[in-house]
Amino acid sequence: MESRNSLTQLLETLDDANDGKTIRLQDVVETFRSRGFGPLITLPALLALLPTGGVPGVPTLCAVFIVLMAVQQLLGRQSPWLPRKLRERGISHDKLHRTVKRVRPWTQRIDKLLAQRLDILLQPVARRLIAVLVIVLALGMIPLELLPFAAAMPALVITVIGLGMTADDGLLLLIGLLLTLGIAVCAFLLW
């Protein structure tokens, strides 16, 4: 099994490679390469999961962005494509450096839990099926926005799946699939 960079190493690579410049979203995509779908799915899902997700419109905007990323993965793209305006958006290196320094203890803890395992869920066909699941979950966030914080359920599952994609951790992807199954069973029983 090939050795993969940890989340902490990827953040440090992004931090080191862009010393003194503005860090664009495209730089993030290039640093994460094929794992670029994971962070671009995880971040909006986290935004919808956190208290900001209770603000009207936020879950829908997050869901639309997640769907756009997942559709690209479904179509077999190796890394995400972003519109130029979005690709060029960024933050200063100083701000990124402070953020990396602040989150490093957390990513180091997360790295201890994550590993490249269950490779069957990391294969192209499995990734496409997971993309379909992410699309369905994200689309489910839109009507759930009408109920306060209800969109947090699919957002949580998408966060787990996105983190699994970012870390190439098939076990985390499996946990996301099981959470989805649990939500589907609960929804069916409540219906």
Side-chain angles (χ1 to χ4, degrees):
M1 185 184 308
E2 89 180 73
S3 175
R4 302 290 290 195
N5 288 336
S6 67
L7 295 177
T8 304
Q9 290 169 328
L10 288 169
L11 285 174
E12 288 173 350
T13 299
L14 183 64
D15 186 24
D16 294 341
N18 296 291
D19 192 25
K21 298 189 303 187
T22 298
I23 311 305
R24 302 170 301 139
L25 194 50
Q26 184 62 33
D27 297 326
V28 175
V29 170
E30 289 171 4
T31 299
F32 281 84
R33 287 183 278 296
S34 65
R35 294 194 265 177
F37 288 105
L40 293 178
I41 287 172
T42 303
L43 292 175
L46 272 173
L47 187 62
L49 181 61
L50 296 173
T52 56
V55 176
V58 170
T60 297
L61 287 174
C62 292
V64 168
F65 186 80
I66 291 167
V67 168
L68 291 174
M69 293 301 107
V71 165
Q72 290 181 49
Q73 185 172 357
L74 177 64
L75 296 175
R77 287 193 58 89
Q78 296 301 309
S79 64
W81 172 87
L82 298 169
R84 188 173 69 201
K85 270 193 171 208
L86 196 53
R87 266 193 325 251
E88 298 302 320
R89 303 229 12 138
I91 61 171
S92 70
H93 178 261
D94 291 337
K95 194 175 214 176
L96 175 75
H97 182 70
R98 286 191 308 269
T99 302
V100 168
K101 192 174 178 180
R102 196 172 331 136
V103 300
R104 185 177 291 124
W106 292 98
T107 59
Q108 288 171 336
R109 288 182 193 125
I110 291 170
D111 286 337
K112 290 177 184 175
L113 300 174
L114 303 176
Q116 189 176 358
R117 50 193 164 195
L118 287 177
D119 287 342
I120 191 80
L121 292 175
L122 303 174
Q123 302 305 314
V125 172
R127 285 186 183 266
R128 287 182 175 170
L129 292 173
I130 288 168
V132 170
L133 177 64
V134 168
I135 291 168
V136 170
L137 287 166
L139 290 175
M141 288 170 57
I142 295 170
L144 286 174
E145 181 178 359
L146 298 174
L147 301 170
F149 299 103
M153 279 192 307
L156 172 65
V157 177
I158 294 170
T159 301
V160 170
I161 291 171
L163 190 55
M165 291 167 60
T166 304
D168 274 347
D169 190 341
L171 180 60
L172 207 50
L173 292 172
L174 180 62
I175 290 169
L177 295 172
L178 293 174
L179 286 171
T180 304
L181 182 62
I183 289 173
V185 168
C186 288
F188 178 76
L189 293 174
L190 292 174
W191 190 303

